[in-house]
Amino acid sequence: MQLLKDRILTDGVVKEGNILKVDSFLNHQMDIDLINEVGKEFKKRFDHCPITKILTIEASGIGIACIAAQYFHVPVVFAKKAQSVNLDGEMYTTKVESFTHKKVYDVILSKKFLGPEDHVLLIDDFLANGCALLGLIDIVKKSGATLEGAGIVIEKGFQSGGQTIRDMGIHLESLAIIDSIADGKLTFRE
Amino acid sequence: MQLLKDRILTDGVVKEGNILKVDSFLNHQMDIDLINEVGKEFKKRFDHCPITKILTIEASGIGIACIAAQYFHVPVVFAKKAQSVNLDGEMYTTKVESFTHKKVYDVILSKKFLGPEDHVLLIDDFLANGCALLGLIDIVKKSGATLEGAGIVIEKGFQSGGQTIRDMGIHLESLAIIDSIADGKLTFRE
């Protein structure tokens, strides 16, 4: 998606250790016009799929999923990190390791909101090692729903998550894939 | 907002201890059509204000803020709970007590995304004791921005948060105010 790649080049910041920060438009401050274009692009790429629900994980994925859901006309369900005392009843649970926060989260989703009748599109902002996405895939599997695919805004192609997900035969669409970050310079996959 | 009150009466569930759950349409599964109407209503109620940014707090507020932001044509910024190693640079920080999770969070916002030139609308899903909203108000104060008001989807009018915020002279708009929950029955404020 050229608009997104251009924006990453303009406003993305490469920090020490070749870490890409896109917090000025994607995951701290959110440019809603850009995210609308992202939502339209996901709709275009999964237009043939009979999606009934969009599943994401808190926190950064929620806004992108909600904007995208407007084009699919389906509800969003978001998996929550750690147990909340207000989340009662039956839950699907899985574990997700966060490299950002250096810890393992319990991730939960109420069984009321996902079942065998559902056709699910996963949406998230980033795909790197794939832990969050693998957690969501595990939840979909446990629910008996059909996984239609996964839409990612930015994939770090030099980490293993994308390859792992594609090797599972899952329809993965990443709107920008970064193949390398070296000396502050990004290279996108064609 | 009648549409919202009707939905709370239809799909809200009152649990033991008179706890209202709206997780089927607002804060776990999200009905995007309803949240669009919520966004339009916030725009109507703050239409005279020169809003430049919508500020919310992760996680449930983010989707509502993003949908609402489409009507204001401004970016969303969300405050984050607890320090992330990828969030560098200068931060506004405050502390928020969560009754749901029975703990105190550090809440942070990058200084890059809020400053004296901004006119801020706060948006969140729930207002009960007001801790989250008071944390966001503290961040706005620290940033030197102008606080234009706060838009809340559901206020628990029988808890003290709403009164506290209104007593501070802040323009608070709650789209549904529940004055009591007794024996499973809700009473809305007129």
Side-chain angles (χ1 to χ4, degrees):
Chain A
M1 187 187 176
Q2 199 56 47
L3 183 74
L4 176 66
K5 291 181 189 172
D6 291 345
R7 187 62 176 273
I8 294 168
L9 290 175
T10 312
D11 290 337
V13 177
V14 178
K15 297 296 220 181
E16 272 185 43
N18 286 324
I19 292 169
L20 173 65
K21 299 203 57 170
V22 291
D23 59 356
S24 69
F25 58 94
L26 191 64
N27 52 17
H28 190 19
Q29 179 166 257
M30 303 181 73
D31 179 334
I32 302 299
D33 290 339
L34 175 72
I35 292 167
N36 253 305
E37 296 305 317
V38 161
K40 285 180 205 168
E41 183 70 22
F42 283 140
K43 174 62 181 166
K44 210 166 85 181
R45 297 196 186 195
F46 293 98
D47 201 25
H48 58 290
C49 304
I51 313 286
T52 63
K53 275 195 189 157
I54 290 178
L55 175 63
T56 187
I57 184 167
E58 64 180 26
S60 328
I62 298 175
I64 299 160
C66 285
I67 296 284
Q70 296 175 314
Y71 300 100
F72 289 89
H73 303 287
V74 300
V76 168
V77 192
F78 60 90
K80 301 193 178 201
K81 289 171 185 163
Q83 186 81 34
S84 151
V85 295
N86 269 358
L87 263 174
D88 60 357
E90 294 281 306
M91 297 285 165
Y92 303 116
T93 63
T94 192
K95 288 191 186 295
V96 169
E97 188 173 353
S98 165
F99 276 72
T100 315
H101 296 96
K102 314 274 181 227
K103 65 187 208 181
V104 176
Y105 291 100
D106 285 308
V107 168
I108 56 177
L109 186 82
S110 171
K111 289 186 179 172
K112 288 182 290 187
F113 305 133
L114 206 63
E117 69 285 5
D118 281 312
H119 291 250
V120 181
L121 174 63
L122 307 177
I123 283 188
D124 209 358
D125 55 343
F126 260 98
L127 171 60
N129 58 62
C131 288
L133 205 51
L134 289 167
L136 293 179
I137 290 166
D138 185 46
I139 284 175
V140 172
K141 197 181 235 176
K142 285 172 173 161
S143 77
T146 305
L147 180 59
E148 294 289 343
I152 296 293
V153 184
I154 301 176
E155 177 182 338
K156 292 178 176 169
F158 52 90
Q159 288 187 251
S160 62
Q163 190 61 46
T164 304
I165 305 288
R166 289 184 183 93
D167 286 349
M168 295 166 75
I170 290 166
H171 178 189
L172 171 63
E173 294 279 352
S174 299
L175 304 190
I177 303 178
I178 296 165
D179 265 341
S180 67
I181 307 179
D183 302 329
K185 194 179 167 325
L186 303 178
T187 308
F188 291 108
R189 192 173 299 176
E190 286 307 312
Chain B
M1 187 186 175
Q2 198 56 46
L3 182 74
L4 175 67
K5 292 180 188 172
D6 291 346
R7 186 62 176 272
I8 294 169
L9 291 175
T10 312
D11 290 336
V13 176
V14 178
K15 298 296 219 180
E16 272 184 43
N18 286 322
I19 291 169
L20 173 66
K21 298 203 58 169
V22 291
D23 58 356
S24 69
F25 59 94
L26 191 64
N27 52 18
H28 189 20
Q29 180 165 257
M30 304 182 71
D31 178 336
I32 302 299
D33 290 339
L34 175 71
I35 293 168
N36 252 305
E37 295 305 317
V38 162
K40 285 180 204 168
E41 183 70 22
F42 283 139
K43 175 62 181 165
K44 210 165 86 183
R45 297 194 186 195
F46 292 99
D47 201 25
H48 57 291
C49 305
I51 312 286
T52 62
K53 276 199 187 153
I54 290 178
L55 174 63
T56 187
I57 183 167
E58 65 178 27
S60 327
I62 297 174
I64 300 160
C66 285
I67 297 285
Q70 295 175 313
Y71 300 100
F72 289 90
H73 303 287
V74 299
V76 168
V77 192
F78 61 91
K80 302 193 177 200
K81 289 170 183 163
Q83 186 80 37
S84 152
V85 296
N86 268 358
L87 264 172
D88 60 357
E90 294 280 306
M91 297 285 164
Y92 303 116
T93 64
T94 191
K95 288 191 185 295
V96 169
E97 189 173 350
S98 165
F99 275 73
T100 315
H101 297 95
K102 314 274 182 228
K103 64 186 208 182
V104 176
Y105 291 100
D106 285 308
V107 169
I108 55 176
L109 185 83
S110 172
K111 289 185 179 173
K112 287 182 290 186
F113 305 132
L114 205 64
E117 68 285 5
D118 282 312
H119 291 250
V120 181
L121 174 63
L122 307 177
I123 282 188
D124 208 358
D125 56 341
F126 260 98
L127 171 60
N129 58 63
C131 288
L133 206 49
L134 289 167
L136 293 180
I137 290 166
D138 184 46
I139 284 174
V140 173
K141 197 181 235 175
K142 284 171 173 161
S143 76
T146 305
L147 180 58
E148 293 289 342
I152 296 292
V153 184
I154 301 176
E155 178 182 336
K156 293 178 176 169
F158 52 91
Q159 287 187 252
S160 63
Q163 190 62 45
T164 304
I165 306 288
R166 289 183 183 93
D167 286 349
M168 293 166 77
I170 290 166
H171 177 190
L172 171 63
E173 294 279 351
S174 299
L175 304 190
I177 304 178
I178 297 164
D179 265 342
S180 67
I181 307 179
D183 302 329
K185 194 179 167 327
L186 302 179
T187 308
F188 290 108
R189 191 174 298 177
E190 287 306 314

